[in-house]
Amino acid sequence: MGTTGFIIVMSILAIASVTAAIIRNRNFRKKEKLHEGLGETYGLSLAYASERSFTLFGTYQEYSLRIEPVELPNRSRETILEALKISIPMVNPQRKLFRAIKPLEELPHLDIIADLDQPSFVRHDLGEWLQITTNDLLFASLILSDDIKISLYDTFNKIDAGLVFIEDEELAFIFPELLTDSEQVVSIEKMIQLIVDIKDELNR
């Protein structure tokens, strides 16, 4: 290869490298801005390294709210699911458990979260695709007001899978996706409002 050919090849490689770096930076900023926008909506602080490593945290409607990515193993621990976790701390000395899940066969990772060996199944009219279980039917009835049922339906109806639960000292929603697209924001906002609504219902 002559000097001219070498210069041309190196120039092409340099341009390709710079172009790739620009695209990566744009994609990074786009995702970072999605997280910043979500945080601004709820008055949360953001510590961001990537969509796989961030924390949104702060106080929303007097509740300590936290949003972060989590890795969920399945029962065999052979595969890992990357998901978003939205959570509010609970005071739960009697260890009440409440669980509403829209399952997906391809995502067995959700099945083992807040699971009971012998759960009580809660009857409802929200659809067969939503399974609600508890270890205390009276506790579940306190949560499932008409407003919460509407919020549950509205939150789960438009997503493929998800889980909201109360276990030990945590009220949380697990969404089996990471935040990478603006179209996800509406669904995530509904998840946030759902757990806030549940906390409000328990505080009445």
Side-chain angles (χ1 to χ4, degrees):
M1 180 184 297
T3 302
T4 302
F6 177 77
I7 292 174
I8 292 172
V9 170
M10 293 304 295
S11 297
I12 291 172
L13 290 175
I15 292 170
S17 178
V18 170
T19 301
I22 291 172
I23 292 172
R24 283 197 301 270
N25 185 62
R26 285 178 177 174
N27 287 337
F28 177 88
R29 282 297 299 146
K30 177 184 176 183
K31 293 174 184 178
E32 185 178 28
K33 285 182 178 180
L34 280 175
H35 292 76
E36 287 175 350
L38 184 64
E40 289 171 0
T41 299
Y42 296 94
L44 305 177
S45 299
L46 172 65
Y48 185 88
S50 73
E51 72 271 22
R52 292 180 170 83
S53 178
F54 75 89
T55 307
L56 281 162
F57 59 96
T59 301
Y60 176 64
Q61 294 187 6
E62 301 183 355
Y63 301 134
S64 179
L65 180 65
R66 188 178 182 92
I67 306 172
E68 58 194 332
V70 292
E71 291 187 346
L72 307 173
N74 63 7
R75 291 188 187 277
S76 65
R77 308 190 77 84
E78 292 179 354
T79 63
I80 297 293
L81 172 68
E82 294 180 310
L84 282 184
K85 182 178 181 180
I86 307 163
S87 61
I88 293 174
M90 283 280 298
V91 177
N92 188 14
Q94 296 182 339
R95 303 191 69 182
K96 305 293 187 182
L97 187 143
F98 174 87
R99 184 175 190 266
I101 181 173
K102 184 177 183 179
L104 192 64
E105 187 175 349
E106 294 81 5
L107 299 176
H109 312 74
L110 299 178
D111 296 341
I112 61 177
I113 300 172
D115 195 18
L116 289 168
D117 291 334
Q118 295 181 320
S120 296
F121 288 85
V122 181
R123 294 182 179 180
H124 61 83
D125 56 1
L126 299 176
E128 294 182 358
W129 43 266
L130 187 66
Q131 182 187 92
I132 302 177
T133 55
T134 184
N135 62 355
D136 188 317
L137 288 171
L138 179 58
F139 179 67
S141 70
L142 294 175
I143 294 172
L144 292 173
S145 65
D146 289 340
D147 288 342
I148 295 299
K149 288 180 180 179
I150 291 170
S151 188
L152 278 168
Y153 182 87
D154 194 37
T155 302
F156 280 99
N157 187 44
K158 296 293 178 64
I159 61 175
D160 293 329
L163 166 70
V164 63
F165 67 91
I166 294 170
E167 183 181 38
D168 295 330
E169 299 189 358
E170 183 177 56
L171 163 59
F173 198 106
I174 301 292
F175 180 44
E177 297 181 19
L178 297 177
L179 176 55
T180 59
D181 192 281
S182 59
E183 293 181 359
Q184 298 167 296
V185 173
V186 172
S187 292
I188 292 170
E189 289 177 343
K190 290 180 180 180
M191 297 167 198
I192 294 170
Q193 193 57 51
L194 173 61
I195 64 172
V196 168
D197 289 346
I198 291 174
K199 193 71 167 65
D200 284 343
E201 197 68 37
L202 290 171
N203 285 343
R204 289 177 182 171

